[in-house]
């Protein structure tokens, strides 16, 4: 992998960990955004948002990132990406029914 360089080994390991952490943060931030948009930005009044914040703390997401996700969802940020939650139904092989819950920014593409 890196040969003799201790720093190169650390760099490779850290890049893998950072990529996993970034994916987890993105997923949780989207959950927070959807929950805040549906039930408001106050976790005391919104149990779905409270649970999403608990998940964010489990992956060690910072308070400033959590607050930014809530602000983006409630309209405090002009550059906010509007995400839509959809439920799609379909039938697969053998007549098996599928119910898919999706989170998207473009329902036509989904």
């Amino acid at each position: 992998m890196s040969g003799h360089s201790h720093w190169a080994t650390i760099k490779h390991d850290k890049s893998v960990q950072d990529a996993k952490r970034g994916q987890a943060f993105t997923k949780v931030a989207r959950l927070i955004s959807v929950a805040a948009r549906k039930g408001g930005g106050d976790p005391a009044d919104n149990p779905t948002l409270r649970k999403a914040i608990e998940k964010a703390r489990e992956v060690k997401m910072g308070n400033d990132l959590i607050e930014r996700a809530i602000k983006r969802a409630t309209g405090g940020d002009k550059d906010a990406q509007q995400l839509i939650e959809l439920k799609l139904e379909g039938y697969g092989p053998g007549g098996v029914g599928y119910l898919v819950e999706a989170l998207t920014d473009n329902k036509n593409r989904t």
Side-chain angles (χ1 to χ4, degrees), residues 60-104:
K60 295 182 172 63
M61 188 174 188
N63 286 335
D64 58 334
L65 295 175
I66 294 171
E67 290 173 8
R68 198 176 330 154
I70 293 171
K71 193 181 299 182
R72 191 177 320 135
T74 56
D77 189 10
K78 293 181 182 178
D79 298 331
Q81 180 184 19
Q82 296 298 320
L83 298 174
I84 303 165
E85 191 173 16
L86 299 172
K87 289 186 182 178
L88 304 169
E89 298 176 0
Y91 290 97
V96 177
Y98 291 103
L99 181 64
V100 178
E101 293 182 4
L103 183 64
T104 183

Side-chain angles (χ1 to χ4, degrees), residues 30-63:
R30 287 182 179 169
L31 287 174
I32 290 172
S33 296
V34 169
R37 188 173 302 117
K38 277 187 170 182
D42 186 18
D45 296 334
N46 188 350
T48 309
L49 179 60
R50 191 176 325 124
K51 185 168 181 147
I53 290 173
E54 288 174 9
K55 285 184 182 181
R57 294 215 170 103
E58 286 176 7
V59 295
K60 295 182 172 63
M61 188 174 188
N63 286 335

Side-chain angles (χ1 to χ4, degrees), residues 82 84 86 104-110:
Q82 296 298 320
I84 303 165
L86 299 172
T104 183
D105 59 346
N106 184 351
K107 62 182 175 181
N108 294 329
R109 184 178 60 219
T110 305

Side-chain angles (χ1 to χ4, degrees), residues 4-50:
H4 66 283
S5 174
H6 179 67
W7 167 245
T9 303
I10 291 172
K11 180 174 67 172
H12 293 299
D13 292 343
K14 186 169 173 37
S15 67
V16 171
Q17 290 173 350
D18 287 346
K20 288 180 184 176
R21 184 176 297 139
Q23 287 176 345
F25 282 8
T26 301
K27 190 175 186 177
V28 172
R30 287 182 179 169
L31 287 174
I32 290 172
S33 296
V34 169
R37 188 173 302 117
K38 277 187 170 182
D42 186 18
D45 296 334
N46 188 350
T48 309
L49 179 60
R50 191 176 325 124

